[in-house]
Amino acid sequence: MNPEDKKRIAAEAAIDYVKPDSIIGVGTGSTVNYFIDSLAAKMGGQVKAAVSSSEASSERLRGHGIRVVDLNEIGKLDLYVDGADESNAQLQLIKGGGGALTREKIVAAASDQFVCIADDSKLVDVLGAFPLPVEVIPMARELVAGALRALGGDPRLRDGIITDNGNQILDLHGLEISDALDLETRINQIAGVVCVGLFAHRPADVLILGTDDGVRICHPAA
Ligand code: 5RP
């Protein structure tokens, strides 16, 4: 099965987690695009509204006639569905390949259940082969880059990208992340960091993988 079909079947399987008449959190990326399309096709008018993690997803949701609401109006969500760039067996994630990490982390934090959808190439033994995105306030970029180098990584500016929040992204190369909780805490403490795309303190609750043999549902390893 090709990678696109694997993303699609994972996204379609996530529809089982959506309750009729609910407001759901929706992430960003090519896998989530399949989810949004499937949500519209299978549940259409039954979804009350969505809280979106990016302008791109908001536009796609609205294009299907799904209302997009502000998180401040809702407070808490039952369900968040989003993709990932990498997951380990504990369902700690690297996210932000699409640049939406900050709003994704906010919506994940507001949600009781986080269902992650991906093709099976995203499941790894050790996080870090995918460069770790860090959203930074532009005036602090070099300050943050220096602090990230001190942690052993090689930060590189994502050229020509301004996030939905008006910030820049440093992609941190060359790390083998053995203690994701500790690294997330350390990077969060650097002045000028808006958000790091490491989802260890709030990992996914369920990972739905598209594989050659169909869908595989994973829960966090003990
Ligand atoms: C966007 C993300 C995406 O979820 C991640 O990049 C995966 O994207 P895709 O589904 O296109 O592989 O974190 O910021």
Side-chain angles (χ1 to χ4, degrees), residues 4 7 27-34 53-54 80 82-86 94-102 104 116-119 122 130 133 158 169 197 199:
E4 288 305 307
K7 290 179 190 181
T28 299
S30 56
T31 316
V32 166
N33 285 344
Y34 287 118
S53 71
S54 65
Y80 179 50
D82 197 0
D85 299 301
E86 284 184 349
I94 287 183
K95 292 188 44 54
L101 58 156
T102 299
E104 292 173 342
C116 184
I117 51 179
D119 69 85
K122 305 285 182 74
F130 189 94
R158 200 179 295 181
I169 293 183
F199 285 53

Side-chain angles (χ1 to χ4, degrees), residues 7 14 17 27 38 85 109 111 113 118 124 148 156 177 183 199 213:
K7 290 179 190 181
Y17 292 79
S38 180
D85 299 301
S111 301
Q113 188 178 38
V124 298
L148 294 174
R156 299 185 203 160
I177 304 173
L183 186 66
F199 285 53
D213 302 322

